[in-house]
Amino acid sequence: MFQDGAEAWCLGFQDMADPVAEEIIFFHDRVMFLLVIIVTVVLWLIGEALKNKFYDRFLVDGTFLEIIWTIIPAVILVFIALPSLKLLYLMDEVVSPALTIKAVGHQWYWSYEYSDYEGETLGFDSYMLSTSDLTSGENRLLEVDNKLILPILTHIRLLVTGADVLHSFAVPSLGLKIDAVPGRLNQTGVFIKRPGVFYGQCSEICGANHSFMPIVIKGVCIEEYLHSLKCIINT
């Protein structure tokens, strides 16, 4: 089972379903490993220097030591900077999309539009389910009446805006977090690697019911996606 939503006492990240988000988590883990090593070495050196008044002069002073603690951090920073720059470019890159979705934040719900199809625009509103409407196994304050259905293994462009005040469209498992600004279209891309139900919430304080406008994205195979579109058209 994948962890695609918030869970009680969760101390780690959710399981990523987007390749770029997955690379970000790998990068984080590598940097944390380096950080532990650096902190351990520095604390050991400080401990050796302060152990007693009779310390090794070359441990705290000397030309060779100055060269070492200048070159080693520089090399470490280069090894950190290269994958970091690569990820920054990947995060901003939007591959030619096969599908465009428009998400509009309202006080206090989301509305979605499938705008790539000829004829009328297909759209619907997505409201949070009240506690009394939940069934066994569903997440309180995270379930909605209409999920956003998206095909997996497809490059998708997401256009986000706000209808009234500032909102923020955030889905951790897909590496999505983008502001919804009234009068402005912000763009990002997503590529869902596997089927699943991915949970998010508005991440910009937008009013009294800010915490009651969740986001639920369901990644499905292309056949199920086309069937869901037919259902939207029929309704």
Side-chain angles (χ1 to χ4, degrees), residues 25-231:
I25 298 301
F26 290 156
F27 176 68
H28 167 271
D29 293 342
R30 290 192 292 267
V31 171
M32 287 298 295
F33 178 73
L34 282 174
L35 180 62
V36 171
I37 294 176
I38 292 169
V39 169
T40 302
V41 172
V42 171
L43 289 178
W44 176 80
L45 290 173
I46 292 174
E48 287 295 314
L50 300 177
K51 187 182 295 182
N52 53 60
K53 61 180 180 180
F54 302 107
Y55 58 83
D56 185 352
R57 180 173 66 86
F58 295 103
L59 186 63
V60 295
D61 187 22
T63 304
F64 180 73
L65 184 64
E66 296 282 350
I67 294 173
I68 292 298
W69 70 31
T70 300
I71 292 178
I72 291 180
V75 172
I76 292 174
L77 288 176
V78 168
F79 276 102
I80 292 176
L82 292 178
S84 175
L85 291 173
K86 174 186 174 183
L87 281 173
L88 284 175
Y89 283 110
L90 286 175
M91 290 168 63
D92 290 336
E93 182 182 19
V94 177
V95 181
S96 181
L99 176 66
T100 298
I101 301 294
K102 184 178 180 182
V104 183
H106 303 263
Q107 289 182 312
W108 287 272
Y109 64 95
W110 292 94
S111 61
Y112 303 103
E113 297 177 4
Y114 297 86
S115 52
D116 282 342
Y117 302 99
E118 296 182 0
E120 61 178 337
T121 299
L122 308 178
F124 60 92
D125 298 329
S126 180
Y127 290 87
M128 186 190 76
L129 287 178
S130 63
T131 304
S132 59
D133 294 329
L134 296 177
T135 59
S136 178
E138 291 186 327
N139 299 301
R140 179 176 174 270
L141 302 184
L142 286 177
E143 301 292 347
V144 296
D145 54 356
N146 294 309
K147 298 180 177 67
L148 176 60
I149 310 296
L150 296 179
I152 62 173
L153 304 177
T154 303
H155 289 287
I156 300 167
R157 176 172 55 188
L158 191 64
L159 303 177
V160 181
T161 189
D164 34 48
V165 299
L166 286 174
H167 301 277
S168 184
F169 192 89
V171 184
S173 290
L174 299 178
L176 291 175
K177 190 175 190 299
I178 184 169
D179 288 339
V181 183
R184 175 177 176 177
L185 278 178
N186 285 331
Q187 173 179 287
T188 189
V190 64
F191 182 88
I192 305 176
K193 293 173 57 179
R194 56 179 172 81
V197 180
F198 312 102
Y199 295 90
Q201 287 181 304
C202 175
S203 296
E204 186 75 45
I205 298 176
C206 57
N209 291 330
H210 154 69
S211 57
F212 303 108
M213 50 181 302
I215 302 161
V216 182
I217 296 178
K218 185 176 181 181
V220 298
C221 63
I222 189 66
E223 292 80 10
E224 186 174 347
Y225 167 73
L226 294 174
H227 175 72
S228 67
L229 280 185
K230 292 179 181 178
C231 293

